[in-house]
Amino acid sequence: MNICVFLSAADLDDRYTGPARDFARLLGKGGHTLVWGGSDVGLMKVVADGVEEAGGRLLGVSVEFLAAKARPGVDEMVVAKDLAERKRLLLEKAHAVVIMVGGTGTLDEATEILELKKHGHTEKPVVLLNTAGFYDGLKVQFRRMEDEGFLPRPLTELVFFAEEPAGALAYLEESLGVA
């Protein structure tokens, strides 16, 4: 399956890179394809390296102003004209989405897929990988949105919260009938 991963391109501490590397190896060993922002720096590089080393495929979607940071030698690389097209292409090429640690770009991508799910424009499974409790505050906020009537669908239909890489991939494989 093609798994889109939204994540940071920053160089991060091992408490984030270790679990990301573990998830990448599981993805690659499972014969899956990483669909990601195409960057060859930071956490994006860590995940791409792990997938490639474990035998998975790499499908990058970069953007014109970041093309100089795009990873060479991937199975497929698409260069979008802007960030909006990049998000559309990432989601179009994926069967499922995993949200890893990241900044405002990752949060933008995450809310886009959740908004599409909320309105029934996609039913792709979405996992929020809560590495080292990074998204604890966001989880609380999402639950408040649900409790106070801001979500027309149950939160459990929009996103699955995983604390560990193995649980994230297991959920996706089960959701899509792959294993």
mmCIF file of all heavy atoms in Angstrom, residues 56-95:
data_model
loop_
_atom_site.group_PDB
_atom_site.id
_atom_site.type_symbol
_atom_site.label_atom_id
_atom_site.label_comp_id
_atom_site.label_asym_id
_atom_site.label_seq_id
_atom_site.Cartn_x
_atom_site.Cartn_y
_atom_site.Cartn_z
ATOM 1 N N GLY A 56 11.413 -1.085 0.814
ATOM 2 C CA GLY A 56 10.201 -0.409 0.343
ATOM 3 C C GLY A 56 10.493 0.531 -0.811
ATOM 4 O O GLY A 56 11.642 0.762 -1.175
ATOM 5 N N ARG A 57 9.433 1.073 -1.376
ATOM 6 C CA ARG A 57 9.552 2.020 -2.492
ATOM 7 C C ARG A 57 9.414 3.447 -1.972
ATOM 8 O O ARG A 57 8.777 3.684 -0.965
ATOM 9 C CB ARG A 57 8.458 1.769 -3.532
ATOM 10 C CG ARG A 57 8.600 0.439 -4.249
ATOM 11 C CD ARG A 57 7.562 0.270 -5.372
ATOM 12 N NE ARG A 57 7.894 1.133 -6.511
ATOM 13 C CZ ARG A 57 7.212 2.228 -6.868
ATOM 14 N NH1 ARG A 57 6.144 2.610 -6.213
ATOM 15 N NH2 ARG A 57 7.589 2.936 -7.913
ATOM 16 N N LEU A 58 9.971 4.394 -2.747
ATOM 17 C CA LEU A 58 9.907 5.807 -2.400
ATOM 18 C C LEU A 58 9.220 6.593 -3.504
ATOM 19 O O LEU A 58 9.661 6.569 -4.652
ATOM 20 C CB LEU A 58 11.312 6.379 -2.184
ATOM 21 C CG LEU A 58 12.150 5.752 -1.080
ATOM 22 C CD1 LEU A 58 13.531 6.388 -1.043
ATOM 23 C CD2 LEU A 58 11.458 5.880 0.271
ATOM 24 N N LEU A 59 8.152 7.286 -3.143
ATOM 25 C CA LEU A 59 7.421 8.152 -4.067
ATOM 26 C C LEU A 59 7.371 9.541 -3.436
ATOM 27 O O LEU A 59 6.645 9.760 -2.471
ATOM 28 C CB LEU A 59 6.007 7.601 -4.287
ATOM 29 C CG LEU A 59 5.166 8.160 -5.420
ATOM 30 C CD1 LEU A 59 3.948 7.292 -5.640
ATOM 31 C CD2 LEU A 59 4.770 9.596 -5.252
ATOM 32 N N GLY A 60 8.182 10.445 -3.959
ATOM 33 C CA GLY A 60 8.269 11.786 -3.396
ATOM 34 C C GLY A 60 7.419 12.778 -4.156
ATOM 35 O O GLY A 60 7.253 12.666 -5.365
ATOM 36 N N VAL A 61 6.899 13.750 -3.413
ATOM 37 C CA VAL A 61 6.177 14.866 -4.020
ATOM 38 C C VAL A 61 6.791 16.138 -3.445
ATOM 39 O O VAL A 61 6.457 16.551 -2.339
ATOM 40 C CB VAL A 61 4.659 14.810 -3.748
ATOM 41 C CG1 VAL A 61 3.960 15.976 -4.444
ATOM 42 C CG2 VAL A 61 4.067 13.487 -4.209
ATOM 43 N N SER A 62 7.696 16.708 -4.199
ATOM 44 C CA SER A 62 8.355 17.932 -3.756
ATOM 45 C C SER A 62 7.573 19.135 -4.290
ATOM 46 O O SER A 62 6.509 18.983 -4.891
ATOM 47 C CB SER A 62 9.808 17.958 -4.261
ATOM 48 O OG SER A 62 10.522 19.030 -3.677
ATOM 49 N N VAL A 63 8.106 20.302 -4.071
ATOM 50 C CA VAL A 63 7.487 21.537 -4.551
ATOM 51 C C VAL A 63 8.614 22.373 -5.165
ATOM 52 O O VAL A 63 9.770 22.262 -4.729
ATOM 53 C CB VAL A 63 6.729 22.245 -3.414
ATOM 54 C CG1 VAL A 63 7.638 22.740 -2.333
ATOM 55 C CG2 VAL A 63 5.850 23.343 -3.941
ATOM 56 N N GLU A 64 8.289 23.180 -6.157
ATOM 57 C CA GLU A 64 9.319 23.898 -6.909
ATOM 58 C C GLU A 64 10.343 24.603 -6.027
ATOM 59 O O GLU A 64 11.541 24.467 -6.228
ATOM 60 C CB GLU A 64 8.671 24.891 -7.882
ATOM 61 C CG GLU A 64 8.033 24.218 -9.070
ATOM 62 C CD GLU A 64 7.337 25.185 -10.026
ATOM 63 O OE1 GLU A 64 7.381 26.418 -9.804
ATOM 64 O OE2 GLU A 64 6.742 24.682 -10.995
ATOM 65 N N PHE A 65 9.890 25.344 -5.015
ATOM 66 C CA PHE A 65 10.849 26.121 -4.227
ATOM 67 C C PHE A 65 11.698 25.273 -3.281
ATOM 68 O O PHE A 65 12.650 25.773 -2.691
ATOM 69 C CB PHE A 65 10.157 27.274 -3.481
ATOM 70 C CG PHE A 65 9.267 26.868 -2.344
ATOM 71 C CD1 PHE A 65 9.764 26.726 -1.057
ATOM 72 C CD2 PHE A 65 7.913 26.654 -2.559
ATOM 73 C CE1 PHE A 65 8.929 26.375 0.000
ATOM 74 C CE2 PHE A 65 7.078 26.310 -1.512
ATOM 75 C CZ PHE A 65 7.581 26.162 -0.231
ATOM 76 N N LEU A 66 11.394 23.965 -3.158
ATOM 77 C CA LEU A 66 12.206 23.051 -2.349
ATOM 78 C C LEU A 66 12.885 21.981 -3.191
ATOM 79 O O LEU A 66 13.493 21.058 -2.645
ATOM 80 C CB LEU A 66 11.330 22.378 -1.280
ATOM 81 C CG LEU A 66 10.762 23.284 -0.200
ATOM 82 C CD1 LEU A 66 9.816 22.496 0.705
ATOM 83 C CD2 LEU A 66 11.876 23.930 0.612
ATOM 84 N N ALA A 67 12.797 22.086 -4.505
ATOM 85 C CA ALA A 67 13.320 21.043 -5.397
ATOM 86 C C ALA A 67 14.811 20.774 -5.175
ATOM 87 O O ALA A 67 15.269 19.643 -5.364
ATOM 88 C CB ALA A 67 13.045 21.405 -6.859
ATOM 89 N N ALA A 68 15.568 21.759 -4.749
ATOM 90 C CA ALA A 68 17.003 21.571 -4.503
ATOM 91 C C ALA A 68 17.256 20.610 -3.336
ATOM 92 O O ALA A 68 18.328 20.027 -3.230
ATOM 93 C CB ALA A 68 17.681 22.909 -4.231
ATOM 94 N N LYS A 69 16.251 20.422 -2.464
ATOM 95 C CA LYS A 69 16.383 19.521 -1.318
ATOM 96 C C LYS A 69 15.762 18.151 -1.585
ATOM 97 O O LYS A 69 15.707 17.308 -0.702
ATOM 98 C CB LYS A 69 15.746 20.145 -0.076
ATOM 99 C CG LYS A 69 16.459 21.393 0.390
ATOM 100 C CD LYS A 69 15.828 21.959 1.631
ATOM 101 C CE LYS A 69 16.592 23.206 2.067
ATOM 102 N NZ LYS A 69 16.056 23.767 3.297
ATOM 103 N N ALA A 70 15.277 17.947 -2.807
ATOM 104 C CA ALA A 70 14.615 16.682 -3.149
ATOM 105 C C ALA A 70 15.626 15.539 -3.152
ATOM 106 O O ALA A 70 16.784 15.705 -3.537
ATOM 107 C CB ALA A 70 13.926 16.785 -4.500
ATOM 108 N N ARG A 71 15.175 14.389 -2.734
ATOM 109 C CA ARG A 71 16.018 13.201 -2.660
ATOM 110 C C ARG A 71 16.275 12.647 -4.070
ATOM 111 O O ARG A 71 15.333 12.391 -4.813
ATOM 112 C CB ARG A 71 15.337 12.145 -1.803
ATOM 113 C CG ARG A 71 16.181 10.902 -1.568
ATOM 114 C CD ARG A 71 15.387 9.896 -0.747
ATOM 115 N NE ARG A 71 16.157 8.728 -0.457
ATOM 116 C CZ ARG A 71 16.789 8.492 0.686
ATOM 117 N NH1 ARG A 71 16.729 9.391 1.655
ATOM 118 N NH2 ARG A 71 17.459 7.382 0.893
ATOM 119 N N PRO A 72 17.527 12.430 -4.418
ATOM 120 C CA PRO A 72 17.825 11.835 -5.730
ATOM 121 C C PRO A 72 17.619 10.321 -5.710
ATOM 122 O O PRO A 72 17.631 9.692 -4.651
ATOM 123 C CB PRO A 72 19.304 12.177 -5.936
ATOM 124 C CG PRO A 72 19.865 12.309 -4.546
ATOM 125 C CD PRO A 72 18.737 12.804 -3.675
ATOM 126 N N GLY A 73 17.411 9.739 -6.868
ATOM 127 C CA GLY A 73 17.385 8.290 -7.020
ATOM 128 C C GLY A 73 16.184 7.574 -6.450
ATOM 129 O O GLY A 73 16.263 6.393 -6.123
ATOM 130 N N VAL A 74 15.056 8.258 -6.298
ATOM 131 C CA VAL A 74 13.863 7.607 -5.771
ATOM 132 C C VAL A 74 13.126 6.865 -6.881
ATOM 133 O O VAL A 74 13.417 7.045 -8.068
ATOM 134 C CB VAL A 74 12.912 8.627 -5.091
ATOM 135 C CG1 VAL A 74 13.610 9.297 -3.921
ATOM 136 C CG2 VAL A 74 12.400 9.651 -6.067
ATOM 137 N N ASP A 75 12.167 6.041 -6.508
ATOM 138 C CA ASP A 75 11.395 5.294 -7.497
ATOM 139 C C ASP A 75 10.546 6.224 -8.362
ATOM 140 O O ASP A 75 10.376 5.994 -9.550
ATOM 141 C CB ASP A 75 10.507 4.251 -6.802
ATOM 142 C CG ASP A 75 11.348 3.215 -6.074
ATOM 143 O OD1 ASP A 75 12.016 2.415 -6.766
ATOM 144 O OD2 ASP A 75 11.373 3.220 -4.836
ATOM 145 N N GLU A 76 10.020 7.280 -7.728
ATOM 146 C CA GLU A 76 9.231 8.266 -8.462
ATOM 147 C C GLU A 76 9.293 9.589 -7.712
ATOM 148 O O GLU A 76 9.177 9.620 -6.493
ATOM 149 C CB GLU A 76 7.773 7.804 -8.576
ATOM 150 C CG GLU A 76 6.884 8.743 -9.363
ATOM 151 C CD GLU A 76 5.437 8.273 -9.467
ATOM 152 O OE1 GLU A 76 5.144 7.107 -9.120
ATOM 153 O OE2 GLU A 76 4.604 9.088 -9.887
ATOM 154 N N MET A 77 9.483 10.692 -8.456
ATOM 155 C CA MET A 77 9.485 12.029 -7.863
ATOM 156 C C MET A 77 8.631 12.940 -8.730
ATOM 157 O O MET A 77 8.812 13.016 -9.940
ATOM 158 C CB MET A 77 10.904 12.600 -7.765
ATOM 159 C CG MET A 77 10.981 13.996 -7.164
ATOM 160 S SD MET A 77 10.493 14.114 -5.414
ATOM 161 C CE MET A 77 11.883 13.305 -4.618
ATOM 162 N N VAL A 78 7.698 13.607 -8.084
ATOM 163 C CA VAL A 78 6.841 14.585 -8.737
ATOM 164 C C VAL A 78 7.163 15.933 -8.104
ATOM 165 O O VAL A 78 7.349 16.014 -6.891
ATOM 166 C CB VAL A 78 5.349 14.242 -8.512
ATOM 167 C CG1 VAL A 78 4.446 15.275 -9.149
ATOM 168 C CG2 VAL A 78 5.039 12.851 -9.031
ATOM 169 N N VAL A 79 7.230 16.988 -8.923
ATOM 170 C CA VAL A 79 7.467 18.330 -8.397
ATOM 171 C C VAL A 79 6.220 19.166 -8.656
ATOM 172 O O VAL A 79 5.861 19.423 -9.802
ATOM 173 C CB VAL A 79 8.712 18.982 -9.028
ATOM 174 C CG1 VAL A 79 8.914 20.396 -8.471
ATOM 175 C CG2 VAL A 79 9.950 18.121 -8.774
ATOM 176 N N ALA A 80 5.571 19.560 -7.564
ATOM 177 C CA ALA A 80 4.357 20.362 -7.650
ATOM 178 C C ALA A 80 4.715 21.844 -7.770
ATOM 179 O O ALA A 80 5.798 22.264 -7.354
ATOM 180 C CB ALA A 80 3.512 20.141 -6.397
ATOM 181 N N LYS A 81 3.786 22.628 -8.305
ATOM 182 C CA LYS A 81 4.064 24.058 -8.480
ATOM 183 C C LYS A 81 3.963 24.839 -7.168
ATOM 184 O O LYS A 81 4.634 25.846 -6.996
ATOM 185 C CB LYS A 81 3.174 24.658 -9.557
ATOM 186 C CG LYS A 81 1.699 24.726 -9.247
ATOM 187 C CD LYS A 81 0.946 25.359 -10.421
ATOM 188 C CE LYS A 81 -0.500 25.550 -10.327
ATOM 189 N NZ LYS A 81 -1.375 24.979 -9.440
ATOM 190 N N ASP A 82 3.112 24.370 -6.245
ATOM 191 C CA ASP A 82 2.952 25.067 -4.971
ATOM 192 C C ASP A 82 2.526 24.080 -3.886
ATOM 193 O O ASP A 82 2.288 22.901 -4.164
ATOM 194 C CB ASP A 82 1.955 26.228 -5.090
ATOM 195 C CG ASP A 82 0.583 25.802 -5.586
ATOM 196 O OD1 ASP A 82 0.152 24.662 -5.314
ATOM 197 O OD2 ASP A 82 -0.083 26.622 -6.255
ATOM 198 N N LEU A 83 2.415 24.572 -2.658
ATOM 199 C CA LEU A 83 2.102 23.698 -1.530
ATOM 200 C C LEU A 83 0.701 23.102 -1.632
ATOM 201 O O LEU A 83 0.486 21.950 -1.238
ATOM 202 C CB LEU A 83 2.264 24.448 -0.209
ATOM 203 C CG LEU A 83 3.709 24.803 0.158
ATOM 204 C CD1 LEU A 83 3.739 25.731 1.359
ATOM 205 C CD2 LEU A 83 4.535 23.549 0.418
ATOM 206 N N ALA A 84 -0.253 23.851 -2.153
ATOM 207 C CA ALA A 84 -1.616 23.326 -2.297
ATOM 208 C C ALA A 84 -1.637 22.138 -3.256
ATOM 209 O O ALA A 84 -2.258 21.105 -2.977
ATOM 210 C CB ALA A 84 -2.561 24.427 -2.779
ATOM 211 N N GLU A 85 -0.932 22.255 -4.380
ATOM 212 C CA GLU A 85 -0.873 21.137 -5.326
ATOM 213 C C GLU A 85 -0.121 19.958 -4.709
ATOM 214 O O GLU A 85 -0.500 18.806 -4.903
ATOM 215 C CB GLU A 85 -0.197 21.567 -6.633
ATOM 216 C CG GLU A 85 -0.154 20.436 -7.661
ATOM 217 C CD GLU A 85 0.574 20.784 -8.940
ATOM 218 O OE1 GLU A 85 1.599 21.512 -8.890
ATOM 219 O OE2 GLU A 85 0.130 20.304 -9.995
ATOM 220 N N ARG A 86 0.908 20.251 -3.951
ATOM 221 C CA ARG A 86 1.677 19.191 -3.295
ATOM 222 C C ARG A 86 0.774 18.372 -2.374
ATOM 223 O O ARG A 86 0.784 17.144 -2.404
ATOM 224 C CB ARG A 86 2.829 19.792 -2.503
ATOM 225 C CG ARG A 86 3.698 18.768 -1.798
ATOM 226 C CD ARG A 86 4.590 19.476 -0.814
ATOM 227 N NE ARG A 86 5.846 18.787 -0.598
ATOM 228 C CZ ARG A 86 6.746 19.178 0.289
ATOM 229 N NH1 ARG A 86 6.552 20.279 0.998
ATOM 230 N NH2 ARG A 86 7.853 18.501 0.457
ATOM 231 N N LYS A 87 -0.006 19.052 -1.531
ATOM 232 C CA LYS A 87 -0.919 18.336 -0.624
ATOM 233 C C LYS A 87 -1.902 17.486 -1.409
ATOM 234 O O LYS A 87 -2.152 16.336 -1.056
ATOM 235 C CB LYS A 87 -1.694 19.321 0.252
ATOM 236 C CG LYS A 87 -0.956 19.814 1.456
ATOM 237 C CD LYS A 87 -1.848 20.560 2.416
ATOM 238 C CE LYS A 87 -2.426 21.805 1.792
ATOM 239 N NZ LYS A 87 -3.141 22.659 2.737
ATOM 240 N N ARG A 88 -2.457 18.059 -2.460
ATOM 241 C CA ARG A 88 -3.426 17.319 -3.276
ATOM 242 C C ARG A 88 -2.791 16.066 -3.859
ATOM 243 O O ARG A 88 -3.377 14.980 -3.812
ATOM 244 C CB ARG A 88 -3.977 18.217 -4.391
ATOM 245 C CG ARG A 88 -5.040 17.544 -5.249
ATOM 246 C CD ARG A 88 -5.498 18.410 -6.406
ATOM 247 N NE ARG A 88 -4.453 18.799 -7.332
ATOM 248 C CZ ARG A 88 -3.894 17.987 -8.237
ATOM 249 N NH1 ARG A 88 -4.278 16.728 -8.328
ATOM 250 N NH2 ARG A 88 -2.952 18.421 -9.049
ATOM 251 N N LEU A 89 -1.591 16.192 -4.391
ATOM 252 C CA LEU A 89 -0.907 15.043 -5.001
ATOM 253 C C LEU A 89 -0.519 13.993 -3.957
ATOM 254 O O LEU A 89 -0.646 12.787 -4.204
ATOM 255 C CB LEU A 89 0.334 15.506 -5.770
ATOM 256 C CG LEU A 89 0.061 16.279 -7.048
ATOM 257 C CD1 LEU A 89 1.338 16.938 -7.565
ATOM 258 C CD2 LEU A 89 -0.548 15.360 -8.107
ATOM 259 N N LEU A 90 -0.043 14.437 -2.804
ATOM 260 C CA LEU A 90 0.308 13.491 -1.738
ATOM 261 C C LEU A 90 -0.906 12.640 -1.369
ATOM 262 O O LEU A 90 -0.814 11.414 -1.277
ATOM 263 C CB LEU A 90 0.830 14.237 -0.508
ATOM 264 C CG LEU A 90 2.248 14.777 -0.592
ATOM 265 C CD1 LEU A 90 2.489 15.815 0.501
ATOM 266 C CD2 LEU A 90 3.271 13.654 -0.512
ATOM 267 N N LEU A 91 -2.036 13.283 -1.177
ATOM 268 C CA LEU A 91 -3.244 12.568 -0.776
ATOM 269 C C LEU A 91 -3.781 11.703 -1.909
ATOM 270 O O LEU A 91 -4.259 10.586 -1.677
ATOM 271 C CB LEU A 91 -4.307 13.544 -0.292
ATOM 272 C CG LEU A 91 -3.943 14.281 0.995
ATOM 273 C CD1 LEU A 91 -5.001 15.332 1.326
ATOM 274 C CD2 LEU A 91 -3.756 13.321 2.144
ATOM 275 N N GLU A 92 -3.678 12.192 -3.123
ATOM 276 C CA GLU A 92 -4.165 11.459 -4.297
ATOM 277 C C GLU A 92 -3.399 10.148 -4.488
ATOM 278 O O GLU A 92 -3.970 9.140 -4.878
ATOM 279 C CB GLU A 92 -3.975 12.369 -5.512
ATOM 280 C CG GLU A 92 -4.588 11.918 -6.799
ATOM 281 C CD GLU A 92 -4.351 12.972 -7.876
ATOM 282 O OE1 GLU A 92 -5.059 13.999 -7.865
ATOM 283 O OE2 GLU A 92 -3.436 12.770 -8.712
ATOM 284 N N LYS A 93 -2.109 10.158 -4.209
ATOM 285 C CA LYS A 93 -1.250 8.996 -4.465
ATOM 286 C C LYS A 93 -1.229 7.989 -3.318
ATOM 287 O O LYS A 93 -0.648 6.931 -3.431
ATOM 288 C CB LYS A 93 0.170 9.463 -4.792
ATOM 289 C CG LYS A 93 0.234 10.232 -6.107
ATOM 290 C CD LYS A 93 1.623 10.722 -6.421
ATOM 291 C CE LYS A 93 1.670 11.431 -7.750
ATOM 292 N NZ LYS A 93 1.342 10.594 -8.903
ATOM 293 N N ALA A 94 -1.880 8.330 -2.201
ATOM 294 C CA ALA A 94 -1.805 7.490 -1.006
ATOM 295 C C ALA A 94 -3.089 6.707 -0.763
ATOM 296 O O ALA A 94 -4.178 7.157 -1.097
ATOM 297 C CB ALA A 94 -1.522 8.372 0.206
ATOM 298 N N HIS A 95 -2.922 5.543 -0.149
ATOM 299 C CA HIS A 95 -4.062 4.745 0.322
ATOM 300 C C HIS A 95 -4.386 5.070 1.779
ATOM 301 O O HIS A 95 -5.485 4.791 2.253
ATOM 302 C CB HIS A 95 -3.756 3.249 0.219
ATOM 303 C CG HIS A 95 -3.445 2.803 -1.165
ATOM 304 N ND1 HIS A 95 -2.221 2.309 -1.530
ATOM 305 C CD2 HIS A 95 -4.206 2.796 -2.284
ATOM 306 C CE1 HIS A 95 -2.232 2.008 -2.821
ATOM 307 N NE2 HIS A 95 -3.426 2.299 -3.299
#
